[in-house]
């Protein structure tokens, strides 16, 4: 839904690489509208993380708010497997000397994106409490997100049949990120081990990322 005016605002940012965490059906429903003269190089291969699309979760019938929260925990618990390649490609994009600025996004910009960004922040040595605080900043835009997702009263309908469901689906919560990180630890013994073994981010790459992002 980017307008020509939006393109003019984006152009000075120099976005040269995009990590699009949406699955193919999501992209087909809402293809990105990039200007022909400033089209970035896009990676999109996170097919197995498609269940993180809230639009699909909202259609589930007969669930209480706790069931929606559990569904989100289950989705996050699979990110260690579903998004390892995405984290690797995000690191590659950030280290591309000719790549320009990097945009990382999914459909909602909070769950898949939140996990990938949290993993990258961990890789450059950001403290766990600060990683979580950065992740939770999504909740500052909760009201705006609800307005955007409430097309045709969809969120109102979900909340009416399952009070508390909207907070579970549209908000982010510490236990969600904790579930994803627990899966990283379970798979490789630690988040550091996961970064190296699953995402291909060894200490040399981490040093380069620190140089790129912290200096």
């Amino acid at each position: 839904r980017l307008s020509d005016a939006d393109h003019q605002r984006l152009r000075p940012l120099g976005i040269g690489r995009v990590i699009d965490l949406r699955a193919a059906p999501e992209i087909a429903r809402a293809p990105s509208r990039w200007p022909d003269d400033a089209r970035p190089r896009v990676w999109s291969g996170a097919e197995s993380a498609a269940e993180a699309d809230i639009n699909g979760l909202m259609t589930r019938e007969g669930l209480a708010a706790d069931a929606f929260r559990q569904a989100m925990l289950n989705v996050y618990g699979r990110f260690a497997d579903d998004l390892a390649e995405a984290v690797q490609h995000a690191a590659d994009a950030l280290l591309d000397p000719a790549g320009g600025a990097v945009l990382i996004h999914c459909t909602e910009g909070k769950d898949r994106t939140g996990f990938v960004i949290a993993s990258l922040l961990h890789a450059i040595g950001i403290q766990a409490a600060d990683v979580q605080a950065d992740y939770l900043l999504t909740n500052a835009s909760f009201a705006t997100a609800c307005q955007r997702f409430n097309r045709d009263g969809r969120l109102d309908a979900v909340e009416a049949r399952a009070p508390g469901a909207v907070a579970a689906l549209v908000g982010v919560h510490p236990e969600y990120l904790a579930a994803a990180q627990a899966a990283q630890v379970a798979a490789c013994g630690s988040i550091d081990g996961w970064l190296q073994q699953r995402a291909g981010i060894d200490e040399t790459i981490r040093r380069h990322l620190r140089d790129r992002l912290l200096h």
Side-chain angles (χ1 to χ4, degrees):
R1 293 190 292 273
L2 291 175
S3 67
D4 291 342
D6 293 330
H7 289 158
Q8 292 302 316
R9 294 180 64 186
L10 284 173
R11 190 170 277 106
L13 298 179
I15 297 171
R17 297 287 297 271
V18 172
I19 305 298
D20 186 342
L21 301 172
R22 299 177 298 168
E26 297 173 80
I27 295 173
R29 287 196 302 269
S32 297
R33 182 177 179 267
W34 291 104
D36 291 334
D37 62 341
R39 189 174 298 278
R41 178 181 168 190
V42 178
W43 178 86
S44 57
E47 297 304 315
S48 57
E51 282 200 42
D53 180 16
I54 288 176
N55 292 297
L57 288 172
M58 283 194 301
T59 64
R60 297 186 182 182
E61 297 286 345
L63 296 182
D66 286 346
F68 281 108
R69 184 177 293 270
Q70 187 58 54
M72 293 298 295
L73 288 169
N74 292 342
V75 165
Y76 271 78
R78 292 192 292 271
F79 282 166
D81 290 328
D82 293 346
L83 293 174
E85 185 181 4
V87 173
Q88 182 175 30
H89 280 276
D92 290 343
L94 287 165
L95 295 178
D96 182 353
V102 178
L103 170 65
I104 301 172
H105 75 91
C106 50
T107 294
E108 292 81 26
K110 68 184 188 72
D111 301 312
R112 289 166 286 190
T113 302
F115 171 79
V116 170
I117 296 299
S119 297
L120 292 170
L121 291 177
H122 181 94
I124 62 174
I126 303 302
Q127 295 296 311
D130 293 324
V131 173
Q132 183 182 95
D134 181 77
Y135 166 75
L136 292 174
L137 282 174
T138 285
N139 287 332
S141 60
F142 178 80
T144 301
C146 287
Q147 291 176 355
R148 182 163 64 90
F149 282 112
N150 200 30
R151 292 188 297 272
D152 302 320
R154 292 184 304 165
L155 286 186
D156 292 338
V158 172
E159 188 70 12
R161 68 175 186 264
V166 169
L169 289 171
V170 181
V172 294
H173 305 276
E175 60 265 32
Y176 291 179
L177 184 59
Q181 292 173 332
Q184 291 173 303
V185 172
C188 300
S190 65
I191 298 176
D192 294 328
W194 182 89
L195 286 166
Q196 179 159 339
Q197 297 171 38
R198 296 292 182 87
I201 300 177
D202 59 19
E203 185 51 45
T204 298
I205 294 174
R206 293 174 73 163
R207 184 173 65 253
H208 290 322
L209 285 171
R210 287 192 290 269
D211 290 341
R212 170 79 163 87
L213 297 174
L214 298 178
H215 297 286

